[in-house]
Amino acid sequence: MEYESESGATADTTPHPPPPLETLSFHGDEEIMEVVELDPGLLDPGHLAQEMEDVDFEEEEEEEEGNEEGWVLEPQEGVVSSMEGPDDSEVTFALHSASVFCVSLDPKTNTLAVTGGEDDKAFVWRLSDGELLFECAGHKDSVTCAGFSHDSTLVATGDMSGLLKVWQVDTKEEVWSFEAGDLEWMEWHPRAPVLLAGTADGNTWMWKVPNGDCKTFQGPNCPATCGRVLPDGKRAVVGYEDGTIRIWDLKQGNPIHVLKGTEGHQGPLTCVAANQDGSLILTGSVDCQAKLVSATTGKVVGVFRPETVASQPNLGEGEESESNSVESLGFCSAMPLAAVAYLDGTLAIYDLSTQTLRQQGQHQSSIMQLLWEAGLAVVYTCSLDGVVYLWDAWTGRLLTDYQEITKQKYFVSRDLTINGCGLWLGVWC
């Protein structure tokens, strides 16, 4: 099969990928025919390096000190231009004084970032040079959620106590705020100035911004731990601490489908994702399972679990692994593949058409987040060792890694966003 990259180049990904997903049926007990182990070493990127024309996957030759290619930023407040140790970043924003919990790029121009952290602060800053545009002031607890509206005119921040605030980006003025219950997640609607959030009391809130018109979707009497607005903008999927999954009609305010008991999960949900057309939903839980759900019928059409489980993930001091939970997951937009990341450091790539495990690799540390590159079968992972890895999901090869400024014990990637071929991530400091 040939697929086209953003640069217009095509590549033959022999063996040919399976036929389109919509023409195939799913079977819960498919037998895994072959598992290809990911090579932990840094390998030749091969054909995919040519497709991402703006990225050089080859290891750069060591250069003489002070003779680096490209532009060099002048040191300024909040920007680290050079430090000891490996550093593959172009700009480092350093105004946060504690762990950074969230990061997001503006979707319209891809020139601005918003970050929030344990220091009870959130900042909007410029990607090109790290210049601070304004602080999203007023939070009194750790800022765990932050993001721009679909048209990049508004930016929202939310802290653990449930205080949500929205600013007008061009005027840098606060235009709306609301105090909900303890915040679990927050997301903008993909087509309108509408903000959704899930709280510890089980409610999912939806507001029009800035007029504040509000609608609530009442779940079970337990936290709404994760949620996602589906691409059509008419439905949202929400996961709960008791293992149930609800698909909500946002206009009518009622659940279209409810999955619980054996259909749901046997532990709290940790993450949800939807494919491009919103026909499939992927859910992850602390029960070590990822479930593939039809958004149309509300039926589970596949269950994924890693082949092997590492005996002891490399967690931070004082942390224990009681279960190998699913930490992150997502759909590939170029092929019928899905990636699932586990607390024990396992990265699993599943073939959706046959529901078999295609690739599986082991990180040295727990994986905290993964993200697919749009239009390509390559996936980024970030883990507790402070490194972001880029994998060819079709062949299982490691293309490259991105080093932090320094690898300290608690220097860990928590969230990441892709801007074209640029990678931006939030880290613990």
Side-chain angles (χ1 to χ4, degrees):
M1 172 179 176
E2 293 186 350
Y3 62 96
E4 187 171 351
S5 70
E6 295 177 357
S7 64
T10 60
D12 187 6
T13 57
T14 306
H16 296 295
L21 183 61
E22 61 268 19
T23 65
L24 298 169
S25 58
F26 292 90
H27 305 281
D29 298 323
E30 293 269 357
E31 185 174 322
I32 296 176
M33 301 303 296
E34 180 182 7
V35 176
V36 181
E37 293 293 330
L38 294 176
D39 188 340
L42 182 60
L43 301 179
D44 180 10
H47 63 276
L48 283 177
Q50 297 178 354
E51 298 178 24
M52 302 180 71
E53 59 181 0
D54 294 329
V55 178
D56 183 8
F57 289 124
E58 301 291 339
E59 292 184 334
E60 295 181 0
E61 297 182 358
E62 294 184 2
E63 300 175 284
E64 295 182 1
E65 184 176 356
N67 189 32
E68 295 182 354
E69 295 181 356
W71 44 267
V72 178
L73 297 174
E74 293 294 330
Q76 55 181 286
E77 182 181 1
V79 179
V80 177
S81 58
S82 63
M83 293 182 67
E84 293 183 0
D87 183 8
D88 294 330
S89 64
E90 293 184 4
V91 176
T92 300
F93 183 77
L95 281 185
H96 285 284
S97 59
S99 302
V100 177
F101 290 148
C102 54
V103 57
S104 182
L105 303 187
D106 82 279
K108 187 175 182 180
T109 67
N110 287 321
T111 60
L112 304 178
V114 57
T115 53
E118 190 183 15
D119 54 7
D120 306 347
K121 294 183 181 296
F123 301 103
V124 175
W125 49 281
R126 194 163 57 205
L127 293 177
S128 60
D129 56 8
E131 180 182 348
L132 175 67
L133 297 185
F134 63 93
E135 178 181 348
C136 305
H139 289 287
K140 298 181 180 180
D141 205 339
S142 297
V143 178
T144 55
C145 300
F148 291 89
S149 60
H150 72 290
D151 58 2
S152 299
T153 61
L154 302 170
V155 62
T157 55
D159 64 36
M160 291 182 65
S161 70
L163 177 60
L164 296 104
K165 290 176 172 288
V166 175
W167 281 262
Q168 188 82 30
V169 174
D170 56 356
T171 64
K172 307 176 184 179
E173 296 180 351
E174 182 181 326
V175 296
W176 179 84
S177 67
F178 188 89
E179 291 192 47
D182 292 348
L183 187 64
E184 297 285 336
W185 59 273
M186 180 193 77
E187 181 175 275
W188 283 100
H189 190 280
R191 301 179 185 177
V194 172
L195 189 66
L196 289 89
T199 52
D201 58 10
N203 286 332
T204 297
W205 302 74
M206 184 172 71
W207 303 274
K208 280 187 177 182
V209 179
N211 65 26
D213 290 349
C214 179
K215 184 181 292 186
T216 58
F217 309 91
Q218 295 184 350
N221 190 26
C222 65
T225 53
C226 55
R228 179 76 58 176
V229 182
L230 298 186
D232 61 9
K234 300 177 181 179
R235 299 167 296 166
V237 56
V238 180
Y240 298 87
E241 191 179 66
D242 66 355
T244 62
I245 306 163
R246 283 171 165 79
I247 301 176
W248 292 92
D249 184 317
L250 296 181
K251 183 176 182 180
Q252 300 298 327
N254 61 284
I256 305 172
H257 303 291
V258 179
L259 290 80
K260 58 184 179 180
T262 57
E263 287 292 294
H265 285 276
Q266 304 309 304
L269 272 84
T270 56
C271 47
V272 294
N275 65 347
Q276 277 191 310
D277 63 8
S279 61
L280 291 173
I281 296 167
L282 200 57
T283 64
S285 167
V286 300
D287 65 6
C288 195
Q289 292 186 347
K291 294 198 172 187
L292 188 66
V293 180
S294 168
T296 303
T297 65
K299 300 296 184 181
V300 175
V301 295
V303 179
F304 304 124
R305 188 183 179 94
E307 278 276 277
T308 58
V309 178
S311 58
Q312 181 60 49
N314 188 12
L315 300 176
E317 182 178 341
E319 295 182 272
E320 296 181 359
S321 177
E322 296 182 356
S323 65
N324 185 29
S325 65
V326 176
E327 293 296 305
S328 184
L329 39 72
F331 291 92
C332 175
S333 61
M335 295 180 178
L337 302 174
V340 181
Y342 298 89
L343 185 64
D344 72 344
T346 300
L347 172 65
I349 307 295
Y350 296 98
D351 189 321
L352 295 177
S353 59
T354 60
Q355 295 198 29
T356 56
L357 181 64
R358 180 169 180 82
Q359 312 285 357
Q360 180 169 301
Q362 193 67 43
H363 293 62
Q364 293 183 351
S365 302
S366 299
I367 305 173
M368 305 308 297
Q369 186 67 274
L370 67 81
L371 188 64
W372 287 95
E373 175 72 38
L376 292 175
V378 296
V379 61
Y380 296 87
T381 57
C382 58
S383 60
L384 283 174
D385 58 10
V387 181
V388 175
Y389 302 91
L390 179 59
W391 304 94
D392 181 337
W394 190 251
T395 65
R397 291 186 294 182
L398 176 64
L399 299 179
T400 189
D401 60 50
Y402 299 89
Q403 302 282 336
E404 305 273 7
I405 293 173
T406 180
K407 292 183 181 178
Q408 298 177 358
K409 192 170 185 179
Y410 303 109
F411 206 82
V412 51
S413 301
R414 293 291 295 176
D415 197 5
L416 56 83
T417 304
I418 292 177
N419 170 25
C421 291
L423 184 68
W424 303 91
L425 59 151
V427 298
W428 283 33
C429 301

